[in-house]
């Protein structure tokens, strides 16, 4: 059996949603090993003077903690 841990991450970029996602994953991976996937829960933009000023994402990042139990 595998055990996983989920981290809820908020990340912002002035460039794009993709950049915000990459920044968020990089931030988690600097401190957590075995990241296996991410689910983008929410995307939002900030607007200033009629133009997008920031791209925001809320995501759940999943990391494998360890295998529990032994070989059967």
């Amino acid at each position: 059996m595998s055990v996983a841990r989920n981290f809820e991450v908020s990340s912002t970029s002035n460039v794009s949603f993709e950049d915000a996602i990459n920044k968020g994953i990089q931030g988690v991976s600097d401190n957590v090993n075995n990241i296996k996937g991410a689910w983008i829960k929410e995307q939002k933009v900030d607007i200033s003077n009629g133009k997008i000023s920031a791209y925001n994402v809320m995501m759940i990042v999943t990391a494998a903690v360890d295998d529990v139990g032994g070989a059967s």
Side-chain angles (χ1 to χ4, degrees):
M1 170 173 71
S2 293
V3 175
R5 178 164 228 167
N6 290 329
F7 299 89
E8 190 162 4
V9 178
S10 175
S11 183
T12 302
S13 168
N14 295 330
V15 178
S16 67
F17 285 121
E18 184 176 355
D19 188 51
I21 292 166
N22 284 326
K23 284 181 177 184
I25 291 171
Q26 185 61 52
V28 174
S29 68
D30 286 345
N31 298 297
V32 176
N33 295 322
N34 298 324
I35 293 176
K36 299 299 181 185
W39 171 56
I40 308 308
K41 185 175 170 180
E42 181 178 320
Q43 294 181 321
K44 166 179 117 51
V45 294
D46 294 336
I47 297 174
S48 179
N49 297 320
K51 296 189 180 204
I52 296 173
S53 58
Y55 299 85
N56 304 293
V57 295
M58 180 66 69
M59 62 185 146
I60 307 293
V61 178
T62 302
V65 175
D66 208 349
D67 284 334
V68 176
S72 299

